[in-house]
């Protein structure tokens, strides 16, 4: 089985369509979504409906999904993010609002080897930035590979081969393949489809091959200017359009 791994689409339909064109349905069996389908971007309904149309195996909620459907009041958000969440709530159809409200919290198991979460396995809203957070996440994960999102930063953490229990983190190289070795544990962020923050504006996603025990991490160009135009025309904060061009 091959799984298309999508995280943090953030209502960016242009990025999502480009990812789906680069990874056509014939190249994977099931889709898996790591949360934050909406928030920041201008096309929340189109993104939810496109993702649902893929008949995904798993979709878990992110903090922006919770804020956009009223599960969370968004008080922890900065003013731009909170304003975008309120805009999203008003823009969503009743059916899509209901869909977001029903999304389960992570973690959730993909198969015997891999689980997914939005932030961390021990707390769906926790940001994993460093080795300390990663070590705690590895210890609380129920699978040897845990895929996460939330930071919008592609990252690979693995426990060290010397058996010290220490964890090593790195930013993956362009279009790299992570080979999961037996006896090791991994924590991987495929990056964000719709709002990358590692200084590279290209959409990020992954393809997990269960038979090969590999995860391919990809970056692709998408029409950023189109996504920016939608944000401006929707009346969302202009900084949400500007950041897409620089990947921050
Ligand atoms: Zn996000």
């Amino acid at each position: 089985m091959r799984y298309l791994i999508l995280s943090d689409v953030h209502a960016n339909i242009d990025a999502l369509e480009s990812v789906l064109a680069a990874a056509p349905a014939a190249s994977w069996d099931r889709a898996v979504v790591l949360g934050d389908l909406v928030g920041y971007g201008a096309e929340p309904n189109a993104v939810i409906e496109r993702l649902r149309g893929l008949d995904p195996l798993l979709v878990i909620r992110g903090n922006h999904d919770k804020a956009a459907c009223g599960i969370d009041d968004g008080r922890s958000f900065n003013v731009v993010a909170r304003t975008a969440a309120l805009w999203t709530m008003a823009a969503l159809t009743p059916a899509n609002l209901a869909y977001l409200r029903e999304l389960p919290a992570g973690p959730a198991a993909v198969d015997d080897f891999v689980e997914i979460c939005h932030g961390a396995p021990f707390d769906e809203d926790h940001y994993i930035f460093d080795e300390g957070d990663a070590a705690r996440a590895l210890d609380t994960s129920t699978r040897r590979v845990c895929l996460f999102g939330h930071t919008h930063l592609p990252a690979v953490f693995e426990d060290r081969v010397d058996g010290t229990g220490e964890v090593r983190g790195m930013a993956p190289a362009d279009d790299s393949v992570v080979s999961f070795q037996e006896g090791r544990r991994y924590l991987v962020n495929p990056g964000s489809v719709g709002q990358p923050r590692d200084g590279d504006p290209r959409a990020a996603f992954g393809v997990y091959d269960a038979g090969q025990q590999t995860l391919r991490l990809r970056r692709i160009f998408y029409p950023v200017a189109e996504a920016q135009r939608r944000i401006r025309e929707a009346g969302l904060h202009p900084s949400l359009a500007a950041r897409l061009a620089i990947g921050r």
Side-chain angles (χ1 to χ4, degrees):
M1 289 282 279
R2 293 156 304 172
Y3 301 89
L4 178 67
I5 311 295
L6 305 173
S7 190
D8 296 281
V9 179
H10 281 293
N12 187 337
I13 192 67
D14 302 291
L16 178 59
E17 289 295 356
S18 295
V19 164
L20 294 174
S27 64
W28 46 271
D29 301 294
R30 299 300 298 273
V32 171
V33 182
L34 277 55
D36 278 2
L37 288 66
V38 303
Y40 297 132
E43 296 290 346
N45 289 303
V47 162
I48 290 173
E49 285 152 22
R50 188 72 168 99
L51 289 172
R52 292 187 75 179
L54 301 175
D55 187 26
L57 175 72
L58 288 173
V59 183
I60 57 172
R61 68 190 189 185
N63 52 322
H64 287 263
D65 302 321
K66 287 193 287 184
C69 70
I71 292 176
D72 184 289
D73 63 11
R75 240 184 305 181
S76 64
F77 286 20
N78 64 44
V79 66
V80 171
R82 188 162 64 243
T83 305
L86 292 172
W87 179 91
T88 303
M89 190 185 285
L92 284 168
T93 66
N96 288 334
L97 268 174
Y99 175 76
L100 289 186
R101 283 196 196 105
E102 295 299 314
L103 286 179
V110 175
D111 61 14
D112 290 343
F113 304 103
V114 174
E115 73 173 15
I116 61 169
C117 61
H118 183 64
F122 55 85
D123 177 352
E124 63 179 338
D125 295 331
H126 190 86
Y127 290 91
I128 297 173
F129 284 117
D130 58 27
E131 274 92 355
D133 289 325
R136 190 174 163 207
L138 285 171
D139 285 342
T140 51
S141 175
T142 64
R143 296 292 187 275
R144 75 178 169 115
V145 177
C146 179
L147 307 179
F148 70 104
H150 198 32
T151 64
H152 301 206
L153 301 170
V156 180
F157 295 94
E158 56 185 319
D159 52 5
R160 285 163 59 115
V161 83
D162 59 13
T164 55
E166 279 178 46
V167 171
R168 194 170 60 103
M170 63 197 148
D174 217 44
D175 200 20
S176 58
V177 176
V178 184
S179 261
F180 300 131
Q181 310 295 319
E182 218 165 310
R184 312 274 309 272
R185 298 177 303 165
Y186 299 85
L187 193 65
V188 184
N189 188 328
S192 167
V193 171
Q195 195 199 74
R197 292 182 192 161
D198 61 341
D200 181 345
R202 293 177 300 167
F205 67 100
V207 178
Y208 162 54
D209 187 320
Q212 302 291 323
Q213 282 298 296
T214 57
L215 178 67
R216 183 175 174 202
L217 297 170
R218 296 188 60 189
R219 302 300 289 264
I220 56 134
F221 290 101
Y222 76 92
V224 171
E226 196 59 19
Q228 291 178 308
R229 182 189 59 77
R230 293 182 206 269
I231 285 170
R232 283 191 294 264
E233 285 181 4
L236 286 157
H237 198 280
S239 67
L240 295 173
R243 67 189 301 174
L244 293 180
I246 54 172
R248 288 293 180 196

